[in-house]
């Protein structure tokens, strides 16, 4: 059973679920049955050791591969625990070798869990179906490059696929006491010094003469190779191969395609070190190391010479990536959150609302944000390439176009897309297709259908008759013409536009037709002499979109199609009062079940990176929970 010492262990339940592929709810169920014994803090937060992670792997394999019942598994584990309490009197009793057959069984379990056939996995990895079948049965080996391809399918690192060590963070590892892995077939053996426990994975590789990686492969993180014995050829994509001899080293980004081969006359032995960026996101600060890096040892600036700042023991930190789309910001949360249960992104959003709603004002309201701040929480998706839901200073939108652009920009910058230029994103309200043009960074998003909901109607606004129409583009807009409101849409008139938009909202409410005229926001449009449109999206009395509005552009095109002014292929160039630009194109026009014309819109534009930030929440800060003005 896992160690029950009264101190926090290194891994959260969310990290364990990611590494093992076992749902958080299942982990809690196993705990209730006595199969697992994680550490629990006074606040009820569970934490796990590396040996607990290995135990989860073992339970999962026994259940899915061997078909054992949970009661049988419990008896087997109890027998194993009792045997471990009475160690065998052999010098290498603690030195366990992980055979390739175990990895094959684990891959089979993950494949079944993901609902993939052998042919599906073959198509995703370019590995022959028969070879995959033999590997899963323990009758064949796979090279590092091919194992890495399998790991990527299940969004794991190669180290996670092979499993990790269990040192309980002891600082000393004696020679020959590491965990042995013999997964790559005869001629390659790995002694894991420390893997899946800390920021660095450290291994000693022994590679016999002529053995190689079987082609190029890439993965997340960085790696360092220091050759201890023999000769090892290293090749990075786009560069000539280089042969390392004892004392030579290679240090490079693991995202670069790379391969290796023993070109010497005997075995090659190398110290191999990898970092894991995903693990960095999940690691907790220790009390004695509550520091954030802010500068270098050179220079005379405020942060230079002081490499970090000290934080109080109970301070919280949240790392975010900041982007903007045509001027409107998106704050993307980097920190992983445990306990976001659910099959769909919508269910994960509800889980966040139930467990983490206190983070929403903390992250987005004053003093770390403002009324217009917009947040995005990345989550896995079972139906799309990526998933995300949205948080704002005022609630939980189901659909947001500008945030999708920002998310796509961040995914590309982080290397998550690899060679993909087209991918899908599941949101609570819809799944959209995204395309990125590598030559100029322009992003295209295919949105759900947009259609006019009501005929045109008029209301009195400040002594003027204003023509209005309700359009549904995933968000319900009341579209008004700037001229009808006596407005010239300029950056200097933002406050005046907000006042008129509020009057429009009040006038619609006064009609007492709430069911018929339901809407979310007011969209004010002004056609320009150039043929473009200037647009102002008033979210409510105080908040407005700094961009023209991605779904707002789609709504305007739907209105023009209903009026007979736009046909398939028509283009709308839109700009905000601040100069941010988006382009909409009518890809097709379809008829809804009730006879209305609906547009399938494609919105094009660009998103930009603003920065990477670490938000700090000090426990004694009286404003830490956030506020709005």
């Amino acid at each position: 059973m896992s160690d029950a010492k009264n101190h926090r262990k290194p891994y959260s339940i969310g990290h364990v679920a990611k590494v093992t592929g076992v749902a958080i709810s299942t982990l809690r169920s196993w705990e209730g049955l006595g199969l697992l014994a994680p550490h629990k803090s006074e606040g009820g937060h569970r934490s796990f050791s590396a040996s607990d992670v290995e135990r989860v792997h073992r339970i999962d394999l026994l259940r899915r591969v061997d078909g054992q019942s949970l009661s049988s598994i419990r008896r087997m584990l109890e027998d194993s625990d009792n045997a471990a309490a009475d160690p065998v009197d052999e010098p290498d009793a603690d030195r366990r070798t992980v055979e390739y057959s175990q990895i094959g069984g684990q891959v089979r379990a993950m494949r079944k869990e993901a609902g993939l056939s052998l042919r599906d996995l073959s198509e995703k990895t370019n590995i022959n179906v028969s070879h995959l079948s033999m590997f899963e049965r323990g009758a064949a080996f796979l090279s590092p490059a091919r194992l890495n391809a399998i790991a990527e399918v299940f969004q794991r690192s190669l180290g996670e696929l092979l499993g990790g060590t269990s040192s309980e963070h002891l600082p000393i590892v004696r020679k020959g006491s590491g965990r042995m892995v013999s997964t790559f077939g005869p001629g390659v053996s790995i002694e894991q010094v420390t893997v899946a426990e800390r920021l660095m994975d450290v291994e000693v590789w022994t590679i016999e003469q002529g053995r190689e990686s079987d082609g190029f492969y890439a993965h997340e993180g960085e790696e360092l190779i220091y050759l201890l014995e023999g000769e090892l050829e290293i090749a990075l994509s786009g560069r000539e191969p280089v042969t390392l001899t004892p004392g030579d080293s290679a240090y490079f980004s693991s995202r670069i395609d790379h391969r290796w081969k023993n070109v010497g006359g005997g075995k090659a032995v190398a110290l191999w070190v990898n970092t894991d960026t995903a693990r960095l996101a999940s690691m907790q600060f220790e009390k004695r190391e509550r520091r954030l890096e802010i500068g270098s040892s050179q220079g005379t600036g405020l942060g230079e010479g002081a490499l970090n700042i000290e934080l109080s023991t109970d301070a919280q930190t949240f790392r975010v990536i900041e982007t903007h789309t045509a001027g409107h910001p998106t704050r993307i949360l980097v920190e992983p959150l445990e306990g976001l249960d659910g099959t769909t992104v919508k269910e994960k959003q509800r889980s966040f609302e139930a467990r983490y709603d206190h983070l929403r004002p903390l992250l987005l309201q004053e003093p770390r944000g403002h009324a217009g701040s917009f947040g995005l929480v990345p989550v896995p998706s079972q139906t799309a390439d990526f998933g995300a839901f949205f948080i704002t200073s005022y609630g939980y939108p189901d659909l947001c176009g500008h945030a999708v652009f920002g998310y796509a920009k961040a995914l590309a910058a982080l290397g998550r897309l690899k060679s993909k230029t087209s991918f899908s994103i599941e949101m609570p309200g819809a799944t959209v297709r995204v395309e990125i043009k590598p030559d100029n960074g322009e992003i295209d998003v295919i949105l759900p259908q947009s259609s006019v909901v009501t005929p045109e109607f008029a209301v009195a606004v400040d002594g003027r008759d204003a023509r209005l129409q309700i359009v549904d583009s995933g968000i319900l807009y009341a579209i008004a013409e700037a001229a009808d409101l006596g407005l010239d849409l300029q950056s200097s008139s933002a406050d005046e536009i907000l006042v008129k938009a509020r009057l429009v909202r009040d006038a619609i409410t006064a009609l007492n037709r709430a069911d018929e005229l339901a809407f979310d926001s007011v969209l004010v449009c002004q056609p320009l002499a150039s043929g473009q449109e200037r647009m102002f999206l008033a979210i409510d009395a105080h908040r407005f979109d700094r961009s023209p509005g991605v779904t707002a552009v789609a709504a305007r095109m739907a209105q023009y199609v209903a009026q007979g002014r736009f046909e398939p292929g028509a283009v709308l160039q839109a700009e905000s009062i601040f100069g941010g630009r988006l382009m909409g194109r009518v890809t097709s026009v379809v008829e809804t079940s009730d006879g209305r014309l609906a547009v399938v819109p494609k919105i094009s534009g660009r998103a930009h990176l603003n920065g990477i930030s670490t938000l700090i929440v000090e426990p004694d800060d009286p404003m830490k929970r956030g506020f709005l003005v």
Side-chain angles (χ1 to χ4, degrees):
M1 191 64 69
S2 60
D3 183 14
K5 293 179 182 178
N6 190 27
H7 61 78
R8 181 178 176 86
K9 297 178 181 179
Y11 304 120
S12 69
I13 192 171
H15 180 74
V16 175
K18 177 184 176 183
V19 169
T20 63
V22 177
I24 290 175
S25 58
T26 301
L27 293 174
R28 289 174 177 153
S29 173
W30 290 354
E31 178 189 349
L33 293 172
L35 297 172
L36 298 173
H39 171 69
K40 293 182 71 172
S41 67
E42 292 181 358
H45 295 290
R46 297 166 174 82
S47 59
F48 296 75
S49 68
S51 60
D52 293 329
V53 175
E54 285 197 11
R55 190 180 185 90
V56 172
H57 274 303
R58 185 180 178 191
I59 296 170
D60 191 45
L61 286 173
L62 288 170
R63 185 170 65 94
R64 298 189 180 278
V65 179
D66 295 344
Q68 298 286 342
S69 68
L70 291 177
S71 58
S72 297
I73 293 173
R74 182 168 60 248
R75 288 193 298 271
M76 294 169 65
L77 293 177
E78 288 173 351
D79 291 342
S80 177
D81 293 338
N82 292 335
D86 186 17
V88 179
D89 187 19
E90 294 180 8
D92 291 333
D94 295 329
R95 185 178 174 85
R96 184 165 67 85
T97 299
V98 181
E99 300 292 347
Y100 62 89
S101 58
Q102 295 176 262
I103 307 300
Q106 182 179 339
V107 168
R108 180 177 183 274
M110 291 189 298
R111 178 176 62 77
K112 294 285 188 181
E113 179 75 13
L116 298 176
S117 67
L118 277 170
R119 186 168 299 279
D120 292 334
L121 187 57
S122 173
E123 291 175 353
K124 291 177 180 291
T125 60
N126 292 320
I127 302 172
N128 184 274
V129 171
S130 61
H131 198 132
L132 278 174
S133 178
M134 293 174 65
F135 168 69
E136 289 188 356
R137 299 196 311 270
F141 295 96
L142 288 180
S143 67
R146 293 187 173 191
L147 270 179
N148 186 74
I150 289 176
E152 287 189 347
V153 170
F154 300 106
Q155 298 182 332
R156 299 188 181 190
S157 69
L158 185 57
E160 289 171 343
L161 189 63
L162 299 180
T165 55
S166 178
S167 67
E168 298 294 341
H169 284 242
L170 295 176
I172 305 299
V173 179
R174 296 295 183 185
K175 179 180 178 180
S177 63
R179 178 175 180 264
M180 294 301 297
V181 177
S182 58
T183 300
F184 303 144
V188 179
S189 64
I190 302 171
E191 180 180 356
Q192 295 181 330
V193 179
T194 175
V195 171
E197 291 193 274
R198 310 179 191 185
L199 180 56
M200 292 187 293
D201 289 342
V202 182
E203 301 168 324
V204 177
W205 286 49
T206 301
I207 306 168
E208 298 298 333
Q209 181 181 0
R211 290 290 292 162
E212 59 181 321
S213 59
D214 188 25
F216 286 91
Y217 63 105
H219 48 91
E220 288 300 315
E222 298 181 343
E223 61 192 272
L224 169 70
I225 304 170
Y226 182 86
L227 197 65
L228 301 169
E229 182 180 341
E231 297 180 29
L232 187 67
E233 181 183 88
I234 302 293
L236 303 181
S237 178
R239 300 189 183 188
E240 291 296 319
V242 175
T243 299
L244 304 183
T245 58
D248 293 339
S249 60
Y251 179 49
F252 52 91
S253 169
S254 304
R255 294 178 181 173
I256 300 173
D257 285 331
H258 53 283
R259 66 168 178 82
W260 48 263
K261 180 179 181 179
N262 182 349
V263 295
K267 67 181 180 181
V269 181
L271 179 68
W272 216 300
V273 181
N274 286 272
T275 62
D276 185 332
T277 52
R279 192 178 312 140
L280 175 62
S282 66
M283 295 187 82
Q284 303 289 328
F285 284 107
E286 296 183 20
K287 292 182 179 180
R288 64 181 180 279
E289 296 177 350
R290 274 308 248 168
R291 301 181 180 91
L292 290 177
E293 294 184 0
I294 60 170
S296 70
S297 58
Q298 306 297 321
T300 58
L302 177 65
E304 311 303 337
L307 298 182
N308 49 61
I309 58 175
E310 297 286 344
L311 299 179
S312 62
T313 299
D314 297 325
Q316 293 178 282
T317 58
F318 300 93
R319 289 174 299 127
V320 296
I321 297 174
E322 310 275 6
T323 70
H324 81 84
T325 304
H328 203 62
T330 303
R331 174 169 285 173
I332 302 172
L333 184 65
V334 176
E335 306 293 339
L337 298 173
E338 66 177 49
L340 294 184
D341 298 332
T343 301
T344 66
V345 169
K346 180 66 175 179
E347 290 170 350
K348 296 178 189 296
Q349 179 197 60
R350 290 170 178 161
S351 181
F352 179 96
E353 186 173 3
R355 297 194 60 181
Y356 293 106
D357 187 63
H358 64 283
L359 293 183
R360 185 176 53 79
L362 183 151
L363 295 172
L364 299 174
Q365 294 181 5
E366 307 275 357
R368 298 171 192 86
H370 52 81
S373 292
F374 201 98
L376 181 148
V377 180
V379 292
S381 169
Q382 295 188 13
T383 59
D385 295 308
F386 302 96
F389 62 82
F390 313 113
I391 56 176
T392 71
S393 59
Y394 49 89
Y396 295 87
D398 281 346
L399 186 69
C400 179
H402 88 271
V404 167
F405 277 77
Y407 190 28
K409 177 69 175 183
L411 288 169
L414 290 168
R416 296 293 190 265
L417 301 181
K418 302 189 183 299
S419 59
K420 288 183 180 179
T421 58
S422 178
F423 53 95
S424 57
I425 298 176
E426 180 191 358
M427 303 176 288
T431 296
V432 296
R433 172 61 55 177
V434 182
E435 296 180 357
I436 292 184
K437 299 175 182 176
D439 54 340
N440 61 8
E442 187 173 89
I443 299 170
D444 296 337
V445 178
I446 307 295
L447 291 175
Q449 295 178 6
S450 301
S451 61
V452 171
V453 176
T454 67
E456 187 175 275
F457 63 97
V459 296
V461 177
D462 213 13
R464 294 172 172 265
D465 287 334
R467 296 163 293 159
L468 303 176
Q469 203 159 23
I470 309 296
V471 181
D472 183 1
S473 59
I475 298 171
L476 289 168
Y477 292 111
I479 299 181
E481 304 298 327
D484 289 355
L485 301 175
L487 292 172
D488 181 21
L489 303 187
Q490 302 290 336
S491 59
S492 58
S493 58
D495 289 340
E496 181 186 3
I497 304 171
L498 280 173
V499 169
K500 290 295 180 72
R502 180 176 57 80
L503 293 176
V504 168
R505 184 180 293 272
D506 292 344
I508 296 175
T509 302
L511 294 177
N512 292 319
R513 296 161 59 189
D515 292 339
E516 179 188 354
L517 302 178
F519 69 100
D520 300 306
S521 303
V522 176
L523 175 62
V524 183
C525 299
Q526 181 179 9
L528 304 177
S530 63
Q532 298 181 341
E533 292 235 2
R534 188 166 295 156
M535 302 170 67
F536 185 96
L537 174 53
I539 300 169
D540 62 18
H542 303 288
R543 291 182 280 267
F544 63 93
D545 198 318
R546 274 65 173 168
S547 77
V550 173
T551 54
V553 174
R556 186 61 159 176
M557 291 195 299
Q559 185 184 37
Y560 280 168
V561 165
Q563 293 172 353
R565 299 172 59 181
F566 269 18
E567 295 182 349
V571 171
L572 177 64
Q573 300 281 356
E575 67 176 31
S576 71
I577 62 173
F578 304 110
R581 289 179 170 80
L582 295 169
M583 183 186 79
R585 181 182 298 275
V586 179
T587 63
S588 63
V589 176
V590 298
E591 188 172 313
T592 65
S593 59
D594 56 0
R596 292 179 291 119
L597 294 179
V599 170
V600 178
K602 178 170 74 172
I603 311 299
S604 304
R606 300 189 67 184
H608 296 273
L609 299 172
N610 294 340
I612 301 174
S613 307
T614 300
L615 307 180
I616 302 171
V617 182
E618 295 188 301
D620 58 348
D621 181 357
M623 302 297 182
K624 65 182 179 182
R625 298 190 183 280
F627 60 91
L628 288 175
V629 296

